[in-house]
Amino acid sequence: MGVYLGNVGNIELIRKSLEGTKESLVNPSDVNASRDRFSFDFDEGYLITGDLIEIKTTDGTDLDFIDESGYAFSGLRTQNGDVLITQSADILGVYSGPTESGMWYIFVDELGGIRLYDNFDDSLEGSTAGLIPLSAIDRDIPISVEVKNRGGRLLGCIREYEINTNREVVDITVLSDQHRQQYSSLISGSGRLVAEWDYLKEDGSEPVNYLMQLVLRTEIGSSFRGKFYIKSAGTSAAGGAFSGTQVNDSLWWEFDAIVTGSAVSFAPSELIEGSIEFVATGPIRLKAKTTASRRLLQEAGDPILLEQSGQLLLEGDEAP
Amino acid sequence: MAKFYTGRDGRLLMDGSEQVKVTNWSLTGNLEVLETTTLGDSQRSYTPGVQEFSGAASLLYYNDDANRNDAATALKNVLKISGVGINDTVDMRLRLVEGNTNHDIRLTAYITTATYGASVGEVSSAQISFQGTGALTEASI
């Protein structure tokens, strides 16, 4: 039996909203084309920097205030399939927009202004890199906004987490029974995590400050999808029985959750820590991904052996 | 031998058939009294009037392997399309068991109320109320 320590676990967070869309109106005065920021009527905390949102017009017109460069670009090709380029080596092509909908990452400034980005990392920075330019408009544009799911990111600086699952039972003891009888009923889950507080991302990770913002998001709820790893890929047991084929195995709980509480502790000469409490909503799955090694075989079915007595594996597999 | 009775000793029989998955039953006997106090009396006095018996029981809504569902059978005494007729009585026997001895209250009754439903996190059950008609046919408590 292997001996596993807590450092083989981590948390992957998927931003999402379970509570639907919000409709609003973008007025000409809401769009500041020179600063590439716009706004619409939404309560503070409705949108959080780094969210991937889908903006859609509700009257079927195009999102004219978003520059065409904010949409997908496709290069023009010849009949032979070659991409056309200009004399200055730029690819000759067209943008697919403006259209009536699109998805972008957002940066929300302190005044509630929104900037659009084509990638998550730039949206957290709020800088000019990756910024989608905006255009002035001369009409009101009715829109609906929805926070979309996107790929999971590791939650940074986690110190500990715990998950509790609880199965309710119903008493079905009847007259003449000698022993209590129980019937399996609903299952629920809750948990708590503690992380060193940070508000900027580490490479590819989500800062815990996001969860603290999430609990305050009143209009579309405080939901997220979490993958809580017991053992993540690329980790090994600290001792005991453990083979190299297990390195890329991973096991995790996966469920949608709602943040129910957050707290930050401050004490002199101690790290600032944030603790988040959450409850699961919907099914709770305990998933496992175990990768079997694929050996290169001879015609006779025997594995091809290396001179150093190892077995030749297909590309991508680990050594046994 | 001294003995307390509990739910472990309880049984409910309807039309001679012991009901399964019964979680409780209760019986209330009531005697109307007619006042006979007259002028000059210092204390009120009464004479017995008409007796009545009623009760209630709860049954889990449960299908056994033979597709028997006692709760459904009881509910059908009220929840029926054709209406309740004069002959739609049931022979109720409320029993406490002591070894080989049965302590029974037996009466003929109409099922007067039938309630059942489904709730999140609970087992579906049927609650019935019954009203006795006529005298008790057995009282061996």
Side-chain angles (χ1 to χ4, degrees):
Chain A
M1 193 183 86
V3 178
Y4 294 90
L5 303 180
N7 53 7
V8 299
N10 59 38
I11 299 174
E12 194 174 309
L13 192 77
I14 300 166
R15 293 190 186 201
K16 67 181 303 185
S17 170
L18 301 174
E19 281 84 5
T21 62
K22 176 179 175 58
E23 295 192 352
S24 189
L25 200 65
V26 177
N27 304 310
S29 60
D30 288 334
V31 181
N32 187 334
S34 62
R35 293 180 178 268
D36 294 326
R37 62 189 288 275
F38 77 105
S39 186
F40 58 91
D41 294 331
F42 65 92
D43 288 345
E44 190 172 345
Y46 168 65
L47 295 172
I48 298 174
T49 293
D51 280 346
L52 175 65
I53 63 169
E54 180 180 37
I55 306 175
K56 190 183 295 184
T57 60
T58 56
D59 62 354
T61 59
D62 293 337
L63 291 166
D64 295 332
F65 64 94
I66 299 172
D67 189 78
E68 64 174 14
S69 61
Y71 298 85
F73 178 82
S74 55
L76 296 177
R77 292 178 180 274
T78 64
Q79 286 184 336
N80 297 329
D82 299 327
V83 176
L84 293 173
I85 58 173
T86 62
Q87 284 187 331
S88 55
D90 294 328
I91 296 175
L92 201 58
V94 292
Y95 291 99
S96 62
T99 58
E100 63 183 57
S101 67
M103 290 200 289
W104 297 274
Y105 293 92
I106 58 166
F107 173 83
V108 184
D109 64 23
E110 66 278 11
L111 297 177
I114 297 172
R115 288 178 173 171
L116 302 177
Y117 290 84
D118 57 11
N119 66 83
F120 175 73
D121 290 346
D122 287 336
S123 73
L124 289 187
E125 299 288 344
S127 62
T128 54
L131 179 62
I132 306 292
L134 301 184
S135 307
I137 54 174
D138 55 5
R139 63 185 176 92
D140 295 343
I141 301 179
I143 59 168
S144 67
V145 176
E146 183 178 11
V147 178
K148 305 297 286 186
N149 303 349
R150 62 166 175 75
R153 292 179 184 277
L154 290 180
L155 194 60
C157 306
I158 300 295
R159 289 178 69 89
E160 60 182 87
Y161 78 80
E162 65 179 54
I163 290 176
N164 309 304
T165 51
N166 179 41
R167 166 72 75 180
E168 294 173 24
V169 291
V170 178
D171 192 333
I172 55 167
T173 313
V174 296
L175 298 180
S176 80
D177 280 349
Q178 304 288 321
H179 306 282
R180 282 216 170 272
Q181 296 188 61
Q182 309 286 349
Y183 191 77
S184 169
S185 181
L186 304 174
I187 191 166
S188 58
S190 62
R192 177 175 175 272
L193 66 89
V194 177
E196 293 170 11
W197 181 81
D198 196 357
Y199 64 101
L200 290 176
K201 67 178 182 67
E202 295 179 3
D203 286 340
S205 67
E206 192 85 67
V208 75
N209 193 56
Y210 168 69
L211 287 173
M212 296 163 69
Q213 289 176 301
L214 204 57
V215 73
L216 304 174
R217 184 148 75 175
T218 54
E219 279 191 278
I220 55 172
S222 308
S223 52
F224 67 96
R225 169 164 290 182
K227 293 168 81 171
F228 294 79
Y229 285 90
I230 310 168
K231 180 192 177 305
S232 50
T235 58
S236 305
F242 186 82
S243 77
T245 58
Q246 294 175 259
V247 170
N248 278 342
D249 291 353
S250 55
L251 296 92
W252 69 94
W253 281 283
E254 184 170 341
F255 52 84
D256 291 333
I258 295 173
V259 180
T260 56
S262 71
V264 186
S265 61
F266 297 87
S269 72
E270 288 187 14
L271 285 171
I272 299 176
E273 287 185 343
S275 69
I276 305 293
E277 293 176 352
F278 53 87
V279 295
T281 173
I284 301 171
R285 311 277 186 222
L286 180 54
K287 294 185 174 179
K289 178 184 173 188
T290 54
T291 309
S293 60
R294 295 174 296 166
R295 297 177 177 82
L296 208 55
L297 302 179
Q298 304 177 68
E299 286 183 357
D302 299 325
I304 297 175
L305 300 179
L306 301 173
E307 287 184 349
Q308 58 269 33
S309 76
Q311 295 171 345
L312 192 59
L313 300 171
L314 291 175
E315 188 178 359
D317 281 332
E318 316 76 39
Chain B
M1 190 179 76
K3 174 178 170 63
F4 290 105
Y5 293 86
T6 68
R8 287 163 51 175
D9 307 309
R11 308 283 190 278
L12 174 66
L13 290 81
M14 290 174 65
D15 292 329
S17 171
E18 184 173 323
Q19 304 293 288
V20 296
K21 305 302 178 189
V22 180
T23 55
N24 67 65
W25 58 254
S26 64
L27 177 72
T28 303
N30 186 43
L31 170 66
E32 286 181 16
V33 286
L34 308 174
E35 187 164 359
T36 55
T37 314
T38 57
L39 295 179
D41 285 349
S42 299
Q43 289 84 27
R44 287 189 182 278
S45 61
Y46 298 90
T47 190
V50 180
Q51 259 189 314
E52 67 168 340
F53 303 93
S54 61
S58 295
L59 295 83
L60 300 184
Y61 198 86
Y62 169 78
N63 270 4
D64 68 8
D65 290 340
N67 211 28
R68 173 180 159 184
N69 189 327
D70 287 338
T73 305
L75 289 167
K76 285 173 186 170
N77 283 289
V78 175
L79 309 178
K80 58 195 302 185
I81 296 171
S82 58
V84 178
I86 193 169
N87 295 322
D88 286 329
T89 55
V90 288
D91 176 27
M92 307 284 293
R93 215 179 301 181
L94 313 173
R95 173 174 290 174
L96 289 174
V97 177
E98 182 185 2
N100 292 326
T101 306
N102 295 329
H103 300 285
D104 283 353
I105 295 288
R106 188 173 180 180
L107 69 160
T108 302
Y110 288 102
I111 306 290
T112 53
T113 308
T115 307
Y116 85 118
S119 300
V120 172
E122 294 180 11
V123 172
S124 290
S125 63
Q127 289 81 43
I128 59 168
S129 302
F130 51 89
Q131 177 70 52
T133 173
L136 295 180
T137 52
E138 186 177 351
S140 58
I141 53 175

